[in-house]
Amino acid sequence: MKMSDANNSGTQLHPLRKWLLGVLVLMAIVLSSMTSVDEFAELEYGKLFQRALVTFALARTLNGVISVVQGTELALQPAGVGVTLTPGEILDPVNDLVERFSWIMLGATLSLGIQQVLLDVGQWWVIKVAVALLGLVWLWLKLKQSRKEQSGSYQTTRLLWQAFIIVLFVRFAVPLTMIANEALFTVFLESRYVQSTEVIEQAGAEIEEAGTESIVSEDESGTGMMAALEQAFSDTRESLDIKRRVNQIKERAADLVEHMVQLCVVFILQTGILPIVFLWVFLQLWKRTFRLAGR
């Protein structure tokens, strides 16, 4: 009784499974012929690419600012006594990190360029035609099959299905990966990116201002006894304040290091790790969802 019941349930489930799978294949063919997914993926890609370009430009600008400040000296002459400090010792580790950060951003931009090519490949009309032809031929053979014919045409149907899955993966994997990637950024990474970008911009401006102030104080000059006295008083006051300015540069440098690391995490995830993870997940879902049809 149990064996017969199991066989009966299997025969009852098989037609329903076949029709559901046919509906899914038709939906995939229709969706492949449309541009909605592609347009949405292009929009999400544009946002990510723009962020990468802006951040790369920010890194290069920051590198230039630090290089200029490293070449200046906090040099004052209070009462004929020279006080000189070069910020290069403080900013040298930061500058090294900025250089590496620039390379990471360049790599992220190249990765996005490759993803753009893959998006174009998925939208190629040949891929869309292949999806439609393989899907429709497989449906026709599958629906035509009877129990007696199934053993003879099984291999052909299986090969057609495998080819259909491969082409369907090429068609949709990269756009869906891009959409899922950007959704994850919006939920978990956007606030981190915005905060880190703002801090880096502000810190770079303050470091540049500190370097500019040091040059102005060094180059100021005057004539006459009163001007000399005023200059000596100003230099003395500036020399007493030099420790505060150095500590400010140190604090800004620490902020730069922390938030550049945060941005590195964001872009390594978005342009390196997450696309690979999503592609692997989609591949597994593709295989498990349609595995029954190859039987």
Side-chain angles (χ1 to χ4, degrees):
M1 288 294 293
K2 292 183 179 180
M3 292 294 295
S4 61
D5 292 342
N7 291 333
N8 290 335
S9 61
T11 56
Q12 292 172 1
L13 287 175
H14 179 71
L16 178 61
R17 187 179 65 190
K18 184 166 64 174
W19 282 105
L20 287 176
L21 190 59
V23 171
L24 289 176
V25 171
L26 286 175
M27 290 176 60
I29 294 173
V30 172
L31 193 60
S32 175
S33 64
M34 299 171 64
T35 60
S36 303
V37 175
D38 300 320
E39 291 174 355
F40 191 53
E42 288 282 357
L43 179 63
E44 300 301 292
Y45 169 82
K47 295 178 183 178
L48 178 54
F49 191 74
Q50 185 65 27
R51 286 198 305 271
L53 285 181
V54 170
T55 308
F56 180 68
L58 176 62
R60 300 310 303 168
T61 302
L62 184 61
N63 180 255
V65 169
I66 292 178
S67 298
V68 170
V69 175
Q70 280 184 308
T72 65
E73 292 181 344
L74 297 174
L76 302 172
Q77 302 292 331
V81 180
V83 179
T84 302
L85 176 65
T86 302
E89 299 177 358
I90 302 173
L91 296 176
D92 190 58
V94 180
N95 198 30
D96 292 340
L97 181 58
V98 171
E99 288 283 353
R100 289 168 174 78
F101 178 65
S102 299
W103 282 107
I104 290 175
M105 293 311 306
L106 178 60
T109 306
L110 292 175
S111 172
L112 290 174
I114 295 172
Q115 293 180 50
Q116 175 66 68
V117 174
L118 295 177
L119 279 174
D120 294 339
V121 170
Q123 299 175 38
W124 191 25
W125 67 271
V126 173
I127 300 297
K128 294 181 179 181
V129 170
V131 169
L133 286 179
L134 290 171
L136 291 175
V137 171
W138 179 87
L139 276 175
W140 181 73
L141 290 177
K142 200 69 175 176
L143 294 176
K144 184 181 177 182
Q145 280 179 350
S146 65
R147 286 185 171 277
K148 296 180 180 179
E149 297 171 335
Q150 190 168 359
S151 59
S153 60
Y154 170 78
Q155 190 64 26
T156 302
T157 306
R158 182 181 178 86
L159 290 176
L160 279 173
W161 179 255
Q162 291 176 347
F164 176 72
I165 290 299
I166 292 173
V167 176
L168 197 64
F169 183 80
V170 174
R171 175 69 181 91
F172 286 114
V174 176
L176 292 179
T177 296
M178 188 65 64
I179 294 171
N181 194 353
E182 194 64 16
L184 190 66
F185 169 82
T186 302
V187 176
F188 296 105
L189 301 175
E190 185 174 12
S191 59
R192 187 188 304 248
Y193 167 80
V194 172
Q195 180 185 8
S196 297
T197 303
E198 291 176 353
V199 170
I200 289 175
E201 290 177 348
Q202 182 180 0
E206 291 183 7
I207 290 176
E208 183 178 16
E209 183 180 358
T212 304
E213 288 177 356
S214 67
I215 296 173
V216 171
S217 64
E218 182 181 3
D219 292 340
E220 287 178 351
S221 60
T223 59
M225 181 177 296
M226 291 300 298
L229 290 175
E230 290 177 0
Q231 183 65 34
F233 176 77
S234 176
D235 287 345
T236 302
R237 183 187 60 191
E238 294 263 346
S239 65
L240 294 176
D241 195 46
I242 196 172
K243 184 176 181 180
R244 179 188 63 82
R245 293 168 60 190
V246 170
N247 288 334
Q248 182 182 9
I249 293 176
K250 288 181 178 179
E251 291 175 359
R252 296 295 87 189
D255 290 339
L256 284 175
V257 171
E258 177 184 354
H259 289 280
M260 276 192 295
V261 170
Q262 295 286 352
L263 287 182
C264 287
V265 170
V266 170
F267 282 99
I268 288 174
L269 280 173
Q270 272 215 286
T271 61
I273 297 176
L274 288 180
I276 295 174
V277 170
F278 281 128
L279 285 174
W280 182 85
V281 170
F282 288 141
L283 180 60
Q284 298 305 314
L285 289 176
W286 240 267
K287 291 167 62 177
R288 293 191 179 189
T289 302
F290 298 110
R291 182 177 294 172
L292 296 177
R295 296 178 180 177

